[in-house]
Amino acid sequence: MSSCADSSPKPVAPAPSAGTDHAVTAMPRINEPAPDFAAQTTHGPRSLADYKGKWLVLFSHPADFTPVCTTEFIAFAKAADEFRALDTELLGLSIDSIYSHLAWVQNIEEKFGVEISFPIIEDLAMNVARTYGMIHPGASDTSAVRATFVIDDQGLLRAMIYYPMTNGRSVAEILRLVKSLRHSLANGVATPEGWQPGEQVLVGAPKTVEELKKRLGEGLETTDWYFSKKPLA
């Protein structure tokens, strides 16, 4: 079983020179359809189509039975109800077997008193991991990095975040990001750094002289012509 790198980061390998035979990691792209997948999980078969009509947070971890990964799964499990309240499902993944996943889930419940209520993908062949660009050879050829993908209810990829093996993600930030994305898409606005529901949102800058003149009379909280805030009703 591969191990989650909780030790010091490896030295950075030199970039390949032109003409070097070097595999390019496939990367999905924001605001385009998320790559399709079908896989076996701890809750039975799952595919991207199963989540149509709901938001999905798909996240990979380097390996089961490792310290950093365990803290992340405990945090995701504790926040699962908050994600569900946003009509958002959680789906984990690592390049481990179903049997390893099941044993680890049971261990977390026995040792930490936390039930892992969401499914975990078995990806021994690395099919999903490669499709989503979770394998970074500079980190490991056989383990996924800590990648997180937020997919909306229409199957479009709305955000992706990559963390190294040595450092755990902030589940609170991922939850905040889902809230922020949903508000932006529903209301056609942008959100500032650290935005939380109930706070003011940002209005896009004017793009014409006519829009600029109109903006100055719209009653917004305008610091300058390009920077305006408003409450979100």
Side-chain angles (χ1 to χ4, degrees):
M1 182 183 301
S2 58
S3 62
C4 178
D6 293 333
S7 56
S8 300
K10 297 178 181 179
V12 176
S17 59
T20 300
D21 183 12
H22 185 74
V24 177
T25 301
M27 297 288 288
R29 294 186 288 197
I30 289 175
N31 293 338
E32 293 189 5
D36 197 15
F37 65 84
Q40 188 66 31
T41 80
T42 50
H43 291 196
R46 288 288 188 277
S47 68
L48 182 60
D50 293 329
Y51 296 94
K52 190 70 177 288
K54 291 183 176 291
W55 284 61
L56 174 65
V57 173
L58 169 65
F59 63 98
S60 62
H61 65 283
D64 300 343
F65 290 102
T66 52
V68 175
C69 302
T70 299
T71 63
E72 289 185 325
F73 265 67
I74 289 172
F76 272 117
K78 289 182 176 179
D81 287 342
E82 292 182 81
F83 281 104
R84 291 191 189 101
L86 297 169
D87 206 25
T88 301
E89 298 294 326
L90 299 173
L91 180 60
L93 175 150
S94 77
I95 302 169
D96 289 298
S97 70
I98 284 292
Y99 305 108
S100 175
H101 288 338
L102 292 174
W104 187 39
V105 165
Q106 184 178 28
N107 179 268
I108 291 174
E109 185 167 6
E110 290 177 352
K111 302 299 183 181
F112 298 93
V114 176
E115 179 185 0
I116 305 301
S117 59
F118 50 84
I120 310 171
I121 290 174
E122 171 189 68
D123 197 26
L124 288 171
M126 297 188 281
N127 292 329
V128 181
R130 287 199 176 101
T131 299
Y132 275 83
M134 297 172 177
I135 306 296
H136 292 205
S140 173
D141 290 326
T142 57
S143 295
V145 295
R146 301 181 194 283
T148 307
F149 303 89
V150 181
I151 302 168
D152 74 9
D153 54 356
Q154 299 303 308
L156 297 178
L157 179 61
R158 293 302 185 179
M160 54 185 178
I161 310 168
Y162 287 83
Y163 273 60
M165 293 183 174
T166 50
N167 305 96
R169 287 162 281 209
S170 169
V171 173
E173 170 58 16
I174 295 168
L175 181 63
R176 189 201 69 81
L177 176 59
V178 171
K179 294 175 182 177
S180 183
L181 286 167
R182 290 176 64 92
H183 277 79
S184 289
L185 292 169
N187 298 283
V189 296
T191 58
E193 182 278 328
W195 180 88
Q196 295 287 350
E199 297 177 353
Q200 289 187 315
V201 296
L202 297 168
V203 181
K207 296 180 180 179
T208 65
V209 172
E210 183 179 351
E211 288 180 2
L212 175 58
K213 292 178 179 179
K214 182 180 178 182
R215 171 60 50 83
L216 297 176
E218 286 179 329
L220 302 174
E221 183 183 312
T222 300
T223 304
D224 206 342
W225 67 271
Y226 68 92
F227 193 95
S228 297
K229 291 182 177 182
K230 71 174 184 178
L232 189 60

